[in-house]
Amino acid sequence: MKRKKMLFVLAAALLLGSGAYALSGEDVKENTPKATLADQNWVFTQAVSSDPMNPENYAEGSTTHCTGVLNLCGIKAPADENGNPIIEPNSPLAQRIQNKDTSQGDVFLRND
């Protein structure tokens, strides 16, 4: 009788332990924050074309020289896996680039 009781307690402990382990694994997956991409400064170089929506027309660099109100000088955006800025079509950033809207601090203009 004592042996059956001990086996029962051992089996219950194993069962509870494995259940707790499985639950803790699910919690970690659900509660782990997704990585966010850091914004970088990009200078509009027109390397491929004059299209400001083409990410290949930008080079990573300082935008401190971008002072003015007339022409696109640079943007602030995260990099994609190819080392180009992420400019999603019809995104708020894309709209600000097209409208030369500097109100969010991620579009920079120059006067020349």
Side-chain angles (χ1 to χ4, degrees):
M1 177 83 156
K2 198 173 188 182
R3 185 177 174 159
K4 282 185 180 181
K5 200 178 209 184
M6 187 183 292
L7 284 174
F8 175 76
V9 169
L10 197 58
L14 283 172
L15 190 63
L16 287 173
S18 64
Y21 177 77
L23 286 176
S24 67
E26 288 176 20
D27 289 344
V28 169
K29 287 180 187 175
E30 289 177 14
N31 294 327
T32 302
K34 294 185 175 151
T36 56
L37 301 173
D39 283 343
Q40 300 171 344
N41 286 329
W42 302 91
V43 177
F44 183 53
T45 62
Q46 301 183 41
V48 177
S49 68
S50 61
D51 180 11
M53 302 310 295
N54 183 343
E56 293 181 0
N57 285 325
Y58 293 86
E60 187 177 355
S62 173
T63 56
T64 57
H65 68 283
C66 298
T67 57
V69 295
L70 298 176
N71 300 309
L72 182 64
C73 181
I75 62 171
K76 184 178 282 196
D80 65 13
E81 63 277 355
N82 297 318
N84 295 318
I86 298 173
I87 306 171
E88 297 288 336
N90 302 315
S91 67
L93 174 60
Q95 291 172 358
R96 286 191 296 277
I97 291 170
Q98 290 173 330
N99 295 328
K100 298 179 182 176
D101 177 0
T102 62
S103 66
Q104 298 300 308
D106 56 0
V107 174
F108 306 97
L109 303 178
R110 65 176 191 263
N111 283 331
D112 55 5

